[in-house]
Amino acid sequence: MTRKIELNWSKKFDFVGNLTTGPTNGSSTSFQVKAALKATYSSLFGIYMFLEDTSFEPGRRAAIESWRKSQDLATTGALKPIYIGIVKSDQRDYVERMREHHKKWIYQYHNKGQLFVKFATTYYWCKDEELPQLIEDAESVLIFEKKPYENTAKTSSYSIAEDILIINTGHHEPLPKSISSKRHF
């Protein structure tokens, strides 16, 4: 049996532009999210994706690509996923996850390029108690498919109990309209 989940992706929003204080040293205490963003996403479960946009004017793009090469990161075109993550519990909501990422790695992207975020709310065909596992499985498939370089797990393999079909709707670029775990094995 193939499980199915629909991910309705938001428009991209400028991550740095939604901070009320600019983090400069990786400290999670300097990271604040604007109230409107917090109100919109704090209570939702779903999948989020950080995207890097390197489609700037040639001088800026050259500087970004040079930095990426110095860090042994693949060079990119326009929007490329650099991290895919999940929010599946009110114990670690979206804002808390952003704080965790900021403390570990987001701060290094300031002034390197434009960092965007998209959030996908879920439509699913399962029991409510199965939703956290379904979201986690969908995240695994997306990470394996796109191989974002800030993800450290699930880029070369993953395991799930049953096949899953992900249908991407809304503003899903750069993801395809659908992804099936069946094509990975």
Side-chain angles (χ1 to χ4, degrees), residues 1-2 19 35 148:
M1 182 177 133
T2 298
L19 301 176

Side-chain angles (χ1 to χ4, degrees), residues 6 15 27 49 54 79 93 100 110 129 136 158 179:
E6 182 179 321
F15 183 73
S27 166
M49 174 172 46
T54 60
L79 297 177
D93 68 11
E100 291 169 5
H110 295 266
E129 63 270 9
E136 190 168 329
Y158 66 93
I179 300 170

